[in-house]
Amino acid sequence: MGHRTRWLMGGLVGMVVLGLLWPGSTGSQTKSEQKPLDRPATPPDDGKLRILCFGAHPDDCELQAGGAALLWARKGHHVKFVSVTNGDIGHWRDAGGPLARRRKAEVEQAARILGITTEVLDIHDGELLPTLENRRTITRLIREWKADIVMSHRPNDYHPDHRYTGILMQDSAYMVAVPNFCPDMPPLKSNPVFLFYPDSFQKPNPFRPDVAVSIDPVMETKLDALDTLESQFYEGGALGSADLIPTDPKKQAERRREIRTRFASRNQGVAQRYRGNTDRVVRQGQGREGTSRRGVRDLRIRSSPR
C-alpha cells in the first residue's frame, strides 16, 4: 500500500500540515512569454473563503501551500500568494532586475496552473527587516484581501527573510483589526485564522501540526506548478552552478524527472513525519458557512497555546 501524500500545516502550517498562531541561455527549455498577471483586486464577497499565503521568496508559497491552494481554488475559494521579497539574488549567475523579473514571471506561470492569484513585493532578497513600514504593508495586504485564513513561515528559521516574514505576519495578526493602525484602509471586522507552514527546526520549539490536509488528488498538478520555477530547481537557485544544467536533451529530461521525483518524495516525507500527530485531518473544504470553516475556528479554540 503506497504512502498517502498529505500537506501539513502547524501551530501559527504531501499531508499539508498547519499549526495555529495565537492572537539568459542556460540549456533549459524556454517557455512562451505570458502576459503578466494583473494585480488582483479584493475578491468578491460571495460566501467563499479568502486565503492569503505569504512566502519570503518567489517559490516559497508554491512549495509550502501549492497543494492546498489547488484544493481551495477548485472549490471556488479565493487564494492569493504573496512573495515578500523579489528574489533578486536567488541565483548563482543572474541577479538584480533581470532575475527579479524572471522569478516574477515564473510564479505567475505557476499561479495559472494552480488557478490562483499572485503578487511579488519589490523588496530586495536577503534584505527584509521587520520594520514598521513593512508591518503596515502586510497589514494592508491582509485587509485588502479581507482574508479569512493567512499563512506564513514560522519565525524560527535558518533564513532571515523566512524569519522576518513570519514575524511580520505575527505582528500584523492583531493590528489588522485595529482601526487607527493604517487608518487609510478599513480594519477587518473578524480576525483571520493565522497558520504556520511546517518545518524541521527544533529550537526554540519544534513545529507541532494542528491540521493535516490530504493533497493526493492534486499532487501531480502541484508538481507541474513547481516545474515552472526553473531558476530555483532546474538551475539550482542561489547555490547552484552551471554543472547542474546538462547540454544533452536526454540528460535535461532526466534532470527534470529527477527534480519532480525529489519533490514528490519530499511531500511524502512530510506526510510520514506527521502522520497520526495532528488534532484534525481535513479532507474536503466547504464554504465560509460550511463545516470546514467552523472546524478551523473550533480547532483554534481547543488548541493549547505554544
Side-chain angles (χ1 to χ4, degrees):
M1 185 176 189
H3 293 306
R4 288 182 61 80
T5 304
R6 296 175 181 267
W7 186 71
L8 303 175
M9 304 181 181
L12 175 160
V13 0
M15 220 178 263
V16 175
V17 177
L18 300 173
L20 290 162
L21 167 66
W22 289 78
S25 175
T26 62
S28 62
Q29 296 177 0
T30 59
K31 294 198 168 43
S32 59
E33 292 188 3
Q34 299 273 1
K35 180 181 177 181
L37 294 175
D38 294 331
R39 189 174 189 273
T42 302
D45 189 8
D46 56 3
K48 296 293 187 178
L49 289 170
R50 296 181 291 263
I51 300 101
L52 186 60
C53 301
F54 290 103
H57 309 101
D59 69 349
D60 286 319
C61 289
E62 291 75 15
L63 281 167
Q64 295 281 12
L70 270 162
L71 292 172
W72 272 317
R74 288 183 178 183
K75 292 180 178 296
H77 301 304
H78 308 287
V79 184
K80 178 181 177 181
F81 285 178
V82 175
S83 175
V84 182
T85 76
N86 62 16
D88 59 358
I89 62 169
H91 198 274
W92 51 272
R93 181 196 59 218
D94 303 334
L99 178 59
R101 289 189 291 272
R102 181 185 181 192
R103 296 190 68 181
K104 182 174 184 289
E106 288 177 342
V107 294
E108 286 177 345
Q109 188 172 355
R112 292 184 181 93
I113 293 172
L114 297 174
I116 65 169
T117 56
T118 192
E119 182 173 355
V120 179
L121 304 185
D122 193 21
I123 297 174
H124 289 304
D125 189 349
E127 299 183 16
L128 181 66
L129 291 172
T131 63
L132 178 57
E133 179 183 3
N134 288 335
R135 186 190 306 166
R136 287 174 174 148
T137 296
I138 299 301
T139 298
R140 288 189 176 102
L141 285 166
I142 296 171
R143 288 179 178 179
E144 180 182 59
W145 199 247
K146 296 182 180 179
D148 295 303
I149 298 172
V150 184
M151 294 188 280
S152 180
H153 309 277
R154 288 203 303 163
N156 46 321
D157 193 289
Y158 73 98
H159 198 300
D161 290 344
H162 291 196
R163 291 198 303 273
Y164 295 145
T165 297
I167 288 173
L168 285 165
M169 183 187 75
Q170 186 169 290
D171 289 350
S172 299
Y174 176 73
M175 307 310 293
V176 295
V178 177
N180 288 319
F181 186 75
C182 299
D184 55 304
M185 183 169 290
L188 296 184
K189 295 180 181 179
S190 178
N191 203 257
V193 174
F194 289 86
L195 300 169
F196 282 131
Y197 306 132
D199 60 57
S200 301
F201 300 106
Q202 299 299 305
K203 295 181 179 180
N205 56 295
F207 175 83
R208 177 181 169 184
D210 291 303
V211 182
V213 181
S214 172
I215 60 168
D216 293 29
V218 297
M219 189 61 209
E220 290 303 313
T221 307
K222 176 181 178 177
L223 294 175
D224 291 341
L226 295 180
D227 283 345
T228 69
L229 308 178
E230 289 193 348
S231 67
Q232 300 308 290
F233 306 137
Y234 182 77
E235 298 174 11
L239 303 181
S241 71
D243 295 337
L244 293 176
I245 308 171
T247 56
D248 180 76
K250 289 184 178 181
K251 291 184 178 180
Q252 290 177 10
E254 288 175 5
R255 174 155 174 77
R256 292 182 186 282
R257 286 193 296 270
E258 173 191 345
I259 294 169
R260 191 178 182 96
T261 300
R262 186 186 308 161
F263 279 123
S265 298
R266 172 176 172 172
N267 278 262
Q268 290 172 349
V270 172
Q272 190 63 30
R273 186 189 318 155
Y274 297 109
R275 190 181 306 280
N277 294 323
T278 58
D279 296 328
R280 174 167 301 206
V281 176
V282 178
R283 299 190 184 280
Q284 292 190 8
Q286 298 184 11
R288 292 169 68 188
E289 301 304 321
T291 57
S292 178
R293 175 65 172 166
R294 290 199 302 271
V296 172
R297 289 204 179 280
D298 291 345
L299 179 65
R300 189 181 185 202
I301 294 169
R302 290 199 310 270
S303 298
S304 58
R306 307 292 187 262

